Amino acid sequence: MASHLETTARVLSEQLSGLDLGGRLALVAGASGRAVFTTSLGIEDQVITAAIGLNRLPIEVATLDTGRLFKETAELIGETEDRFGIEIVRFHPAKDEVDAYASRYGLNGFYESVEARHACCGVRKLQPLARALEGASFWITGLRRGQSGNRAETPFAEYDAERNLIKINPLADWDIGTLQAYVADNAVPVNPLHARGYPSIGCEPCTRAIKPGEPERAGRWWWENDEKRECGLHVPETALPSLNSSSL
């Protein structure tokens, strides 16, 4: 199965490279299997949501409502649903897992160690993501090569061995100028935090505005020293400290 999906991903990546955004999403929507797009409501994801809604594509749209989102992000969910006539399904962390995390590390223990931070991401993001992608054949994301150094080689399609599905990155080759032009041309609502220096927006306690000249994702988990810091959504879970509930 893995070999077949790897081959399919390589073929898809080549096909997607020659299409515009609408064509890329339509190709995935027309393939055999369920397609799920997970949005964090950042500008990349708002563009993909707009393309799905404006083209009436049969792609499910979901978001991970971690319980620690910025107020502006939470408000944008409803605004986006109204603008494009779609439903964004919210996936929340399990209360018992959040309570177990807080009991071991403290509610804001993620500031104290990388292990604690990854454990929090595991409870609030990875576990809800697993539910969102259950039974999916394709996972659509807003990853771009220009977001950070460790995303510089992002393909249009890739096999996700951990989740045994194909991840689709339809904006892999887009730059910020192209995103902004699409937003302006299609009246796409965007998070007001972008205008306040937040190009990459995650949970409120873990995101700050960036300084002039900093990479786009420098404001995420800024207190950590690892330049390749991630939450685990887009890197193998085995590469991170233990994130499963047994570690809590």
Side-chain angles (χ1 to χ4, degrees), residues 116-129:
R117 200 270 290 173
H118 281 308
C120 186
C121 290
V123 167
R124 294 187 182 272
K125 300 175 80 171
L126 293 184
Q127 292 179 17
L129 176 68

Side-chain angles (χ1 to χ4, degrees), residues 24 43-44 47 142-147 156 170-183 216:
R24 289 170 181 174
I43 187 171
E44 293 89 355
V47 164
L143 292 182
R144 290 190 299 111
R145 295 166 187 159
Q147 288 171 327
F156 293 110
L171 299 179
D173 59 344
W174 282 42
D175 59 25
I176 191 65
T178 306
L179 289 168
Q180 292 169 338
Y182 187 99
V183 165
E216 290 183 25

Side-chain angles (χ1 to χ4, degrees), residues 19-41:
L19 301 173
D20 62 12
L21 177 59
R24 289 170 181 174
L25 291 171
L27 179 63
V28 177
S32 177
R34 175 169 155 251
V36 177
F37 167 53
T38 55
T39 174
S40 64
L41 286 298

Side-chain angles (χ1 to χ4, degrees), residues 85-113:
I86 63 174
E87 179 186 11
I88 300 176
V89 181
R90 285 81 155 168
F91 286 84
H92 304 270
K95 184 180 183 302
D96 60 337
E97 295 287 351
V98 173
D99 291 345
Y101 175 88
S103 177
R104 173 167 180 175
Y105 296 105
L107 184 62
N108 294 327
F110 41 79
Y111 292 126
E112 302 302 321
S113 71

Side-chain angles (χ1 to χ4, degrees), residues 155-190:
F156 293 110
E158 56 188 313
Y159 172 56
D160 186 323
E162 187 171 354
R163 300 175 180 90
N164 196 39
L165 48 67
I166 295 176
K167 184 190 292 186
I168 304 293
N169 309 306
L171 299 179
D173 59 344
W174 282 42
D175 59 25
I176 191 65
T178 306
L179 289 168
Q180 292 169 338
Y182 187 99
V183 165
D185 291 345
N186 295 280
V188 179
V190 297

